[in-house]
Amino acid sequence: MSGRYGQPAIPAAPQKKLGLALGGGGARGLAHVGVIRALEREDIRIDCIAGTSVGSLVGASYAAGFRGERLLELALSAHWRDLARPIWPHNGFVSFEPMERLLRDRFDDRTFAETDIPYAAIAADLATGEQVTLREGKLAPAVRASCSVPGIVTPTEIGGRLLTDGGTVNNLPISVVRELGADVVLAVALADPASGPPQGACHIALRAIEFLLYHAADDPATADIFLAVPLTGFSSLVRTSAGQRLIALGEQIAEQALPDIKAALS
């Protein structure tokens, strides 16, 4: 190809590899879908993803090939009755076995090796308290493990280890995204511990969880772009009725950050 006056054209520099670190935060994870949709509209390629808890669910869905309206449909069609069932209390009050079945079906029982892009799910080893970065085997049980809130949801056994929600050890896996090969890391956090004084016992307990999620994470300063979803008015970690609003909120904060994202990738 020739440029002006017959001179060889200078080829465009390839986009740096963009990786997403998607944090945990229950039903608020629908905001992650909004962030991804905003990137898709700008044709910004996502090269790898690591996620914790609900971030692992959204990340696995994208890595398994869910794009655009398919990702939106999957997010909005998920209800707790499809994901969880109560059990006789033993290591938990709820089982995410229905979630694993649903994901095996939706993901065509894919393995990590069969994803479109490199992907990792973060869990915690109940015996040792260690962070476990899942990158091999089936996607569905890995997501189930990463989402299994300890004491409430029964843990998941993988490779002889009892695994539980990765939010207890690393709720924003920026370092893992680097390990997956990202040049630029966009981190999206769903924990917001500084949103005003709590009112009542339930809000106090929720605020304590917010602090745990916020501090059990890689340092946000190690990300190239850090997006903290403003969660005022979204105090519930389990209510899914605000799905459309959360998706729109994720789109909004990503759109505001587009100049910084594009500059980092250029």
Side-chain angles (χ1 to χ4, degrees):
M1 181 183 297
S2 297
R4 295 182 64 188
Y5 311 114
Q7 297 296 320
I10 299 174
Q15 174 188 300
K16 294 178 181 177
K17 290 185 178 180
L18 174 66
L20 301 189
L22 302 181
R28 298 167 176 177
L30 289 162
H32 290 322
V33 176
V35 170
I36 290 173
R37 283 171 60 81
L39 297 177
E40 286 183 325
R41 278 199 298 270
E42 295 294 315
D43 292 324
I44 295 175
R45 187 181 67 248
I46 300 168
D47 296 288
C48 56
I49 297 180
T52 299
S53 198
V54 70
S56 77
L57 174 57
V58 176
S61 300
Y62 187 87
F66 284 79
R67 304 284 191 276
E69 293 305 311
R70 288 188 71 215
L71 181 62
L72 181 64
E73 179 186 356
L74 176 63
L76 293 177
S77 65
H79 300 287
W80 287 114
R81 64 178 179 271
D82 304 315
L83 306 176
R85 63 176 174 84
I87 59 169
W88 186 257
H90 178 68
N91 294 335
F93 297 89
V94 172
S95 170
F96 274 171
E97 190 269 338
M99 171 196 284
E100 182 176 342
R101 281 202 319 268
L102 177 66
L103 294 181
R104 283 185 184 275
D105 178 61
R106 294 289 179 89
F107 296 166
D108 296 324
D109 211 18
R110 277 185 178 87
T111 66
F112 281 84
E114 295 169 326
T115 55
D116 292 352
I117 60 174
Y119 161 74
I122 308 304
D125 187 319
L126 268 179
T128 65
E130 295 175 322
Q131 173 179 320
V132 178
T133 301
L134 297 167
R135 294 188 58 187
E136 296 179 345
K138 300 287 187 179
L139 285 179
V143 172
R144 175 183 175 182
S146 184
C147 293
S148 296
V149 181
I152 298 175
V153 183
T154 55
T156 304
E157 183 176 346
I158 297 178
R161 308 174 86 173
L162 274 183
L163 303 181
T164 191
D165 197 312
T168 59
V169 288
N170 191 349
N171 200 46
L172 194 62
I174 297 167
S175 58
V176 177
V177 179
R178 298 276 186 207
E179 292 168 4
L180 292 176
D183 301 309
V184 175
V185 177
L186 170 59
V188 186
L190 303 174
D192 183 19
S195 57
Q199 302 292 328
C202 290
H203 282 179
I204 290 172
L206 178 61
R207 182 57 50 82
I209 294 173
E210 297 276 12
F211 278 117
L212 288 171
L213 293 176
Y214 185 80
H215 291 290
D218 285 338
D219 184 352
T222 61
D224 298 282
I225 299 108
F226 173 64
L227 302 182
V229 179
L231 294 167
T232 302
F234 298 99
S235 59
S236 176
L237 293 171
V238 297
R239 189 177 301 127
T240 59
S241 58
Q244 292 280 11
R245 291 167 55 209
L246 283 162
I247 290 170
L249 182 60
E251 292 180 358
Q252 177 186 338
I253 65 165
E255 288 166 356
Q256 292 170 351
L258 282 173
D260 291 335
I261 296 170
K262 291 179 178 179
L265 291 172
S266 65

